[in-house]
Amino acid sequence: MKKGMEAIPANWHEQIINLLGERIVVTDREGTILYINEAYCEFLGTTVEEATNRPVQEVIENTRMHIVANTGKKELAALHPINGSEMIANRYPLTVDGELVGALGTVMFRSPEEWRMYKSKIQHLVEELKYYQTKVENELKSKYSFQDLIGSSQSFLAAKKLAERISDSNSSVLLMGESGTGKELFAHSIHNQSLRSSLSFVAINCASIPEHLLESELFGYDDGAFTGAKKGQFELAHNGTLFLDEIGDMPLSMQSKLLRVLQEKEVQRVGGQKSIPVDVRIIAATHRDLEKMVEEGKFRRDLYYRLNVIKIEIPPLNKRKEDIKLISMSLLKKLERNFFRTGIAISEEVEKRLMEHSWPGNIRELENVLERAINVLDGQTIELMHLPLYLREMRSQCPNNGKRTMLETKPAQKIPLPVIPLKETLARVEKEAIQSALAVTNGNKQEAARLLAIGKTRFYEKCRLYEI
């Protein structure tokens, strides 16, 4: 019984090759076409008779078949521009009895229509890949410079000047300050003015990542630990800057692993065995009292000293109230671009009220207040009526025998308000206060509960009650 190709009649071979669904060309050692199938010729706009026995470069544009036939090196899944399209080509050297005799080339897709159909499917994926690639590259760059740090108060200028002075250093920086004071803007600015500015700036919030995922997020994971492998934030920040926000919320178990990386200057992926060297400048930030946490055993002393090489304390907004007007103007310019508006101003009464508020949420809260005002603004000037309820009806400490009294303010316009039941009014104020706190903390419910001085359980109950 015949075996192999001998069992197939010779006049079947051509049809079998065409049914394989690929375009095929065979050349000799000099690159002359010995065979080309009809499907390929149809795509090229020629015939088998016209193409055979001609140099392959004259028949197929941008071909490399003659190169493979000469070098004996195969080229797999190579991008081949042809007829205004890009096809995937495989090129194999042909060796008979140990001697290189020519080359075989195959190209997928049986018709131009088939290629166009495939291209339309893959084009979306290519565009999506480019989008996310660009997005990642942009996210790994610093977004702010020292010009974006607004303020003229002495305490703020001292912090800004120190940050500018140490930018070129490779020493670790610890940014201290309440939530919303602009610690991340300082971190971006320091990187942007450093010698590492052209390289990656990677930011990670230690409080927002579950403890069981934090290690793989920082150090990555290797084959076998999960499906595939992934670089961690340390590797992504190699030769650049790694910003560890809310470092005070990092679990003790992770603190020891972080300390080892900072000391050894190398990481080991979760599930991996190989140590990977990393050169990273660390900028850490927290609103917590790390010295107190060290004394209480909640933060490693050795890690604290490793991070606290250069400490910069960023003053809260209520300690630099002379900057409120300047910051408000800067925030309004930013918000005007978002709302496609120009020329928005603040009334004197609003300016006074902003100065009287204690700003527990700092600049983040101020931006939230101004954004809320623009959303309900009809004209060009923000009045008291445009402020959130807790600012419109704000109580302040006045020299009246130590008693707290309502601020005596005369609204620009007297608008008759309907009488609303007290229970409904209190509920509305409570809901608005919760929403404002969540906006200030970027949705962090635990931090919002802390700002409102209520327990976490009670806070969650009120969120459910008001469908927040």
Side-chain angles (χ1 to χ4, degrees):
M1 183 177 179
K2 293 181 179 179
K3 295 181 180 180
M5 291 293 289
E6 295 87 352
I8 302 174
N11 58 354
W12 290 19
H13 294 176
E14 180 75 17
Q15 187 175 359
I16 289 171
I17 290 173
N18 287 326
L19 288 174
L20 287 175
E22 295 190 2
R23 303 180 181 91
I24 293 176
V25 61
V26 179
T27 71
D28 61 15
R29 182 73 184 273
E30 284 70 40
T32 301
I33 295 176
L34 302 178
Y35 172 82
I36 185 169
N37 67 343
E38 290 181 1
Y40 209 160
C41 289
E42 183 182 345
F43 179 71
L44 296 171
T46 185
T47 64
V48 173
E49 292 75 16
E50 290 176 351
T52 306
N53 297 321
R54 289 176 60 192
V56 68
Q57 309 93 294
E58 295 180 6
V59 179
I60 305 172
E61 64 175 309
N62 299 315
T63 186
R64 290 178 54 84
M65 285 291 294
H66 55 298
I67 297 173
V68 173
N70 184 52
T71 63
K73 295 181 179 179
K74 64 182 177 181
E75 298 178 354
L76 302 181
L79 204 62
H80 186 164
I82 187 170
N83 286 358
S85 300
E86 289 183 333
M87 301 189 302
I88 307 300
N90 294 316
R91 306 180 186 101
Y92 305 91
L94 288 176
T95 304
V96 177
D97 296 329
E99 180 184 356
L100 180 63
V101 296
L104 164 69
T106 66
V107 177
M108 298 171 63
F109 318 117
R110 287 170 289 187
S111 68
E113 290 75 19
E114 188 175 335
W115 162 245
R116 282 192 290 270
M117 182 176 68
Y118 173 82
K119 186 178 181 181
S120 67
K121 289 180 179 179
I122 200 173
Q123 189 64 32
H124 173 71
L125 297 175
V126 171
E127 290 173 358
E128 188 174 356
L129 178 62
K130 287 180 180 178
Y131 167 78
Y132 284 112
Q133 185 178 10
T134 303
K135 186 171 184 287
V136 167
E137 288 173 355
N138 289 338
E139 287 177 349
L140 296 182
K141 299 294 182 183
S142 53
K143 302 173 185 176
Y144 308 102
S145 67
F146 283 109
Q147 293 180 343
D148 298 304
L149 301 179
I150 308 299
S152 59
S153 62
Q154 187 175 351
S155 58
F156 178 78
L157 287 177
K160 182 177 176 180
K161 186 176 180 180
L162 176 58
E164 289 178 309
R165 188 184 304 155
I166 56 87
S167 292
D168 286 339
S169 168
N170 283 319
S171 300
S172 298
V173 181
L174 181 60
L175 302 173
M176 306 286 289
E178 296 177 7
S179 294
T181 50
K183 297 188 291 294
E184 185 166 355
L185 268 69
F186 266 81
H188 278 272
S189 302
I190 291 170
H191 172 79
N192 198 35
Q193 193 162 303
S194 73
L195 299 174
R196 300 170 180 255
S197 59
S198 61
L199 300 163
S200 298
F201 176 86
V202 179
I204 182 170
N205 190 312
C206 302
S208 64
I209 301 173
E211 183 176 350
H212 66 284
L213 295 178
L214 188 56
E215 183 176 2
S216 60
E217 187 69 24
L218 281 173
F219 309 138
Y221 53 77
D222 223 333
D223 294 310
F226 303 98
T227 54
K230 175 193 169 187
K231 287 184 177 181
Q233 302 298 326
F234 266 92
E235 287 183 74
L236 292 175
H238 181 56
N239 289 327
T241 303
L242 179 61
F243 175 48
L244 298 173
D245 199 6
E246 301 299 352
I247 189 72
D249 293 275
M250 178 176 283
L252 274 170
S253 58
M254 275 301 302
Q255 292 177 26
S256 58
K257 294 175 182 177
L258 173 62
L259 179 64
R260 188 194 69 80
V261 172
L262 298 183
Q263 289 174 335
E264 304 298 328
K265 299 187 183 300
E266 59 183 27
V267 296
Q268 194 172 87
R269 293 177 182 173
V270 176
Q273 302 298 322
K274 185 175 69 173
S275 292
I276 303 167
V278 288
D279 175 14
V280 173
R281 185 188 192 179
I282 298 293
I283 301 178
T286 183
H287 68 277
R288 299 184 180 277
D289 186 343
L290 289 189
E291 291 185 5
K292 183 179 178 183
M293 291 180 68
V294 168
E295 296 302 322
E296 293 173 347
K298 296 178 181 177
F299 199 87
R300 290 185 63 107
R301 186 180 300 274
D302 43 8
L303 177 59
Y304 172 69
Y305 289 123
R306 174 71 62 171
L307 297 173
N308 189 25
V309 178
I310 303 168
K311 181 163 71 173
I312 301 175
E313 297 191 24
I314 305 169
L317 193 54
N318 59 20
K319 299 294 185 185
R320 45 183 289 227
K321 286 196 172 182
E322 60 268 42
D323 291 338
I324 287 178
K325 184 176 180 180
L326 200 61
I327 295 170
S328 298
M329 293 300 102
S330 176
L331 291 174
L332 281 178
K333 292 297 181 186
K334 169 187 170 184
L335 292 168
E336 281 179 344
R337 292 192 294 270
N338 296 342
F339 285 86
F340 303 102
R341 300 187 61 169
T342 57
I344 297 176
I346 297 175
S347 72
E348 289 184 8
E349 287 180 303
V350 168
E351 187 179 322
K352 181 182 177 183
R353 188 60 56 90
L354 296 182
M355 291 290 288
E356 291 164 339
H357 184 48
S358 60
W359 299 109
N362 293 290
I363 298 173
R364 193 179 294 142
E365 182 186 1
L366 176 58
E367 182 174 5
N368 176 63
V369 166
L370 294 175
E371 182 175 350
R372 189 264 187 201
I374 294 176
N375 270 292
V376 297
L377 181 64
D378 292 324
Q380 293 294 104
T381 304
I382 297 174
E383 303 286 356
L384 283 177
M385 69 181 75
H386 302 125
L387 297 182
L389 191 60
Y390 74 94
L391 281 177
R392 293 202 303 269
E393 300 184 356
M394 185 184 72
R395 294 176 178 270
S396 73
Q397 190 75 33
C398 297
N400 186 20
N401 298 325
K403 296 179 181 178
R404 297 177 68 87
T405 61
M406 291 294 292
L407 285 169
E408 296 179 4
T409 55
K410 294 180 181 179
Q413 309 174 35
K414 268 203 166 183
I415 302 175
L417 297 174
V419 178
I420 302 172
L422 182 60
K423 185 177 180 180
E424 185 179 334
T425 301
L426 292 172
R428 187 189 298 178
V429 173
E430 199 167 57
K431 181 177 180 179
E432 192 165 343
I434 292 172
Q435 289 174 327
S436 177
L438 286 170
V440 167
T441 61
N442 283 339
N444 187 320
K445 291 186 176 181
Q446 290 188 20
E447 185 65 20
R450 187 188 69 80
L451 288 177
L452 293 170
I454 63 174
K456 184 173 67 175
T457 303
R458 189 176 170 211
F459 181 85
Y460 278 94
E461 287 174 353
K462 290 189 178 293
C463 285
R464 285 193 294 271
L465 176 63
Y466 299 126
E467 298 181 347
I468 297 174

